[in-house]
Amino acid sequence: MKRIRGLFCKEKRNHYLLVEEATRALSSTDDSDVDMLSGGGSPSENEEENGGAGGMSHRRMAKNALAVSHPVVHFDGSIPEPIERRMSRQSQRSYGLDFNSKDGGKKYYDDFHTIDWVRDRTRDRLRHKRLEKDKFLSWRGWSKKFWDAGSGWLIVFLVGVSSGLVAGVVDVAAEWMSDLKEGWCPAAGYYNREACCWLSNDTLVDVESQHCGLWRVWSQVAGISASSYVFDFFIYVLLAVVFAGLAGLFVSTLAPYAAGSGIPEVKTILSGFIIRGYLGAWTLLVKSVGMVLAVGAGLSLGKEGPLVHVACCCGNLFTRIFPKYYTNEAKKREVLSAAAAAGVSVAFGAPVGGVLFSLEEVSYYFPHKVMWRAFFAALTAAFTLQLMNPYFSGHLVLFYANYDHQWHLFEFVPFMLLGVFGGLYGALFIKLNIHWTKLRRKKFSRFPLALIEVLVVALLTGLISFPNIYTRINASEVIRTLFSQCGPEDNNKLCDYNLTSVDPSELYHDTKANSGVTSAVWLLLAAMVAKAILTVFTFGMKVPAGLFIPSMFVGACMGRVVGIGMEQLAYTARESAFFELFCSPKETCVTPGLYAMIGAAATLGGVTRMTVSLVVIMFELTGGLTYIVPIMVAVMISKWVGDALGKDGIYDAHIHLCGYPFLDSKAEFTHNSLACDVMRPRKNDPPLSTVDLSCCTIGNLEHILSETDYRGFPCVLSRESQLLAGFLTRRDIETVLDQVRRSNEPISEDSRVFFIDSARRVEQQLSDSTGASVNFRGLMDPSPFQIADETPMETVVEMFRKMGLRQVLISHQGRLLGIITKKDILRHIAEVEHQDPRQIRFH
């Protein structure tokens, strides 16, 4: 035992002597002999590494001894970096800079530019590796790993709760302001009409019941009996213009990004585009207040689409608490995808539909873990909204419908016709709205003309809406009435039937319609036309404006009219063999409310081109799971008809109109073109700007930045060979040059620049440099994506879609020929589809 202990002590003394000798050797070495190139050896050392005859030098042996030395463990359990690396880094600081571009901050990307998905995902993988390594070293490393794993669930929980709270407040406030145009509740001024009637033990069961015990219209509040209709008309229009003007004023002057639906921009942001300020706190505040004012003004719009934007704003704000999301744009989009699902969940009370909406319609990168977190965010948001109970009905959804009878096979014919109507309406609406939006951008897109447009449209909307009861009140209430089936307690015109039976079980079973139903049909048709025309001019104004509710309103009106027609047909021909085959004499054969539901789904599908998510949203929205098959039929036919007349939905059309660089993952590219046909430079174009590594200096980098505005530059070994060596981004070059200017090192414009990784230890010729040389370790990407010039463009487009590339380099047998950016891809697609390629304005 003593012999073993003696041998161990002797070995330990020899090791310490070797370390001490190595330290003296390094300290006695002149600083000029220490290589600045990120840990690289001196020229003599590199000769030895490349097989020189001199063998290993004393300094090399000393460095190897330090490399294998035992690390010193601090009290906190952390291990410092090796002595060799630390001394090399200190020597580099005395001669140049050693910048690692992979540690870029939160503002690595410029505004209105596309992120680099590959770079951000690589950074996140490296971060995960560091956490996995550190968790075995100390309790602090383990706690960091635990916090990192749980932070993803915590942030989507916060997003869901905040989205539910905002949606509940907006729902209550918007409904109160909408009723405020018509009257006032003196007993409790903060109550809307329905809550006021509940306070007086009266019940509003339909949209035509305008009065109850405590509710007062404005003519009654003012004590005007003569010309009360004119006075109520005037107050209605006046408040509508005031509310709309305030919404337009707030948006135009405080937060222009709060205008519109927000879904086209959210969809573009999730695809990797940077729009700074679009998801900010100020936008969130103005959007929420503007929604209340715009809906309260009675404009032909909805708040459901803007709630998706609001939820994404909440998600973006909460990422500031978690650095792994705030400093990584790709990771941030995982949170935004979950936030979009939460937005739809609170907009319609449809958590599953919200997840599918995020997957189908808005998200660009949707891995499995994001789906679970989106589901959790949608669940949390729906649960929060349920606790708030903004509809005072006990139901999470607004349009809850429960039908007593099944549909019949012969009804597939009118269901299919409603699908055709939805596709035709959607295609026509998109064309008209895009045409008007183009005209708006040219003529009156700036303040105060934009505000004047809002005031004029609000005035026209008020004048047209008040005479018709179905356009006067909130569109959501009308849709809820159209979806419902008539019962003994209903006394509105839609339920004015000739009732001859006193048996409640036989009431409203295919009975003859009276004049009230006929009058209601004409009012519904007038309301449908008015709403369709007004929505064309309203969507896109400088107010928060959604499209879901107006589209559903148009379809519900048409569906209810068709349903009433089918009901009367079944009543008139009730004794025919055809209807006797399907309908029982004592059961309802046709339910008009079901037709309204299917018509609403068809028109919304024709406008947005949504399919699976729309079907799920509709049966969650109404609770009508039994009627999912007719809804699926109508939605599919609507999409087929709409795609036949125009391939883009309303959101994609606005994305293309704005020129955003959105590469649709669902579109197909089947043209026979090659990479060399699309790459730049082309004929008559200036040569490609490159960085020549054989003679690169600080002055060369400054010159290429000042003379060009490109976002990246390929690196070649020499201009003569044009052999591709790597790729540099403009932001990285600007960052390191700024660091060079702020340093105290003797570096001039003639100082040589190298881009050598410390692990490669490549020999460089330093004799031609007139000043101190600088090495930017890790700045250059040594393995950029490159393809051959004969690669089919179909393959190139798929690479950009699946991998989220910003650019790809084109080479022939290793020689650089050109470059293809995402903007080039989009312009090429526009050219082959006979569109204007100049509409793609951003990178």
Side-chain angles (χ1 to χ4, degrees), residues 750-768:
D750 297 328
S751 299
R752 281 291 307 276
V753 176
F754 300 96
F755 306 93
I756 303 174
D757 196 341
S758 60
R760 296 173 59 187
R761 312 185 65 83
V762 180
E763 179 183 359
Q764 293 291 333
Q765 298 294 333
L766 304 177
S767 58
D768 57 343

Side-chain angles (χ1 to χ4, degrees), residues 370-431:
V370 176
M371 181 181 67
W372 280 111
R373 291 177 180 175
F375 181 79
F376 182 65
L379 173 64
T380 306
F383 182 74
T384 304
L385 189 64
Q386 176 72 42
L387 292 179
M388 296 187 67
N389 192 21
Y391 308 125
F392 305 103
S393 61
H395 298 292
L396 178 63
V397 298
L398 177 61
F399 309 128
Y400 181 77
N402 185 19
Y403 305 124
D404 298 331
H405 305 281
Q406 293 283 348
W407 52 275
H408 301 89
L409 189 61
F410 73 88
E411 292 181 285
F412 263 104
V413 176
F415 293 161
M416 295 172 66
L417 292 177
L418 287 176
V420 173
F421 170 78
L424 293 174
Y425 169 76
L428 179 62
F429 172 81
I430 292 172
K431 291 183 181 298

Side-chain angles (χ1 to χ4, degrees), residues 172-247:
V172 174
E175 190 170 356
W176 176 78
M177 294 200 71
S178 181
D179 291 340
L180 188 64
K181 301 194 306 297
E182 303 178 55
W184 177 262
C185 184
Y190 52 88
Y191 276 11
N192 61 10
R193 185 174 65 242
E194 186 174 7
C196 184
C197 292
W198 285 351
L199 191 64
S200 61
N201 294 324
D202 293 338
T203 303
L204 288 176
V205 295
D206 54 70
V207 298
E208 297 174 10
S209 299
Q210 294 296 302
H211 306 284
C212 62
L214 292 180
W215 182 258
R216 297 288 185 271
V217 296
W218 287 114
S219 58
Q220 294 174 338
V221 174
I224 299 176
S225 57
S227 304
S228 59
Y229 180 84
V230 176
F231 184 80
D232 291 337
F233 195 169
F234 173 76
I235 295 297
Y236 181 93
V237 175
L238 176 63
L239 291 180
V241 173
V242 170
F243 292 162
L246 289 176

Side-chain angles (χ1 to χ4, degrees), residues 617-636:
I617 288 173
M618 287 304 299
F619 82 72
E620 284 188 286
L621 184 65
T622 59
L625 182 59
T626 309
Y627 306 97
I628 189 172
V629 174
I631 294 176
M632 292 175 65
V633 171
V635 169
M636 283 305 304

Side-chain angles (χ1 to χ4, degrees), residues 766-805:
L766 304 177
S767 58
D768 57 343
S769 60
T770 59
S773 300
V774 182
N775 179 63
F776 297 137
R777 178 175 57 87
L779 191 71
M780 182 183 69
D781 180 9
S783 56
F785 286 93
Q786 58 175 315
I787 58 175
D789 54 340
E790 298 295 327
T791 304
M793 278 303 299
E794 185 176 0
T795 303
V796 179
V797 171
E798 285 300 312
M799 289 177 61
F800 273 83
R801 286 174 177 167
K802 302 300 182 183
M803 305 181 67
L805 302 180

Side-chain angles (χ1 to χ4, degrees), residues 37-254:
L37 304 180
S38 302
S42 61
S44 61
E45 271 186 62
N46 290 323
E47 291 178 4
E48 295 166 10
E49 287 183 333
N50 295 326
M56 185 172 290
S57 65
H58 182 69
R59 183 171 177 270
R60 167 60 61 190
M61 290 189 294
K63 290 180 118 181
N64 288 343
L66 288 174
V68 300
S69 61
H70 295 291
V72 179
V73 181
H74 288 247
F75 292 109
D76 60 354
S78 61
I79 299 179
E81 61 182 323
I83 300 175
E84 176 191 291
R85 190 183 306 168
R86 184 164 66 250
M87 294 185 65
S88 175
R89 180 165 49 82
Q90 292 171 354
S91 299
Q92 290 163 16
R93 279 202 297 263
S94 62
Y95 284 85
L97 297 175
D98 186 15
F99 178 79
N100 192 342
S101 65
K102 295 180 181 179
D103 297 330
K106 58 184 176 64
K107 291 189 177 180
Y108 179 82
Y109 303 105
D110 293 329
D111 198 9
F112 295 106
H113 283 80
T114 305
I115 70 172
D116 190 343
W117 288 89
V118 178
R119 172 188 179 274
D120 286 351
R121 286 197 289 261
T122 302
R123 291 179 60 230
D124 188 62
R125 283 195 297 268
L126 294 176
R127 186 185 60 82
H128 271 291
K129 289 180 179 179
R130 288 194 297 267
L131 290 174
E132 288 289 340
K133 182 180 179 181
D134 293 343
K135 76 176 183 179
F136 297 107
L137 301 179
S138 66
W139 66 268
R140 183 176 297 177
W142 180 88
S143 61
K144 287 182 179 180
K145 176 62 179 177
F146 180 79
W147 169 254
D148 182 78
S151 60
W153 295 99
L154 177 59
I155 190 173
V156 296
F157 173 78
L158 296 175
V159 170
V161 172
S162 60
S163 300
L165 292 175
V166 173
V169 172
V170 169
D171 287 337
V172 174
E175 190 170 356
W176 176 78
M177 294 200 71
S178 181
D179 291 340
L180 188 64
K181 301 194 306 297
E182 303 178 55
W184 177 262
C185 184
Y190 52 88
Y191 276 11
N192 61 10
R193 185 174 65 242
E194 186 174 7
C196 184
C197 292
W198 285 351
L199 191 64
S200 61
N201 294 324
D202 293 338
T203 303
L204 288 176
V205 295
D206 54 70
V207 298
E208 297 174 10
S209 299
Q210 294 296 302
H211 306 284
C212 62
L214 292 180
W215 182 258
R216 297 288 185 271
V217 296
W218 287 114
S219 58
Q220 294 174 338
V221 174
I224 299 176
S225 57
S227 304
S228 59
Y229 180 84
V230 176
F231 184 80
D232 291 337
F233 195 169
F234 173 76
I235 295 297
Y236 181 93
V237 175
L238 176 63
L239 291 180
V241 173
V242 170
F243 292 162
L246 289 176
L249 182 63
F250 291 160
V251 170
S252 299
T253 58
L254 301 179

Side-chain angles (χ1 to χ4, degrees), residues 18 178-179 237 247 300 405 467 474 542 568 596 641 712 829:
L18 183 61
S178 181
D179 291 340
V237 175
S300 184
H405 305 281
N474 197 330
K542 291 297 183 181
Q568 294 305 301
V641 174
I829 293 176

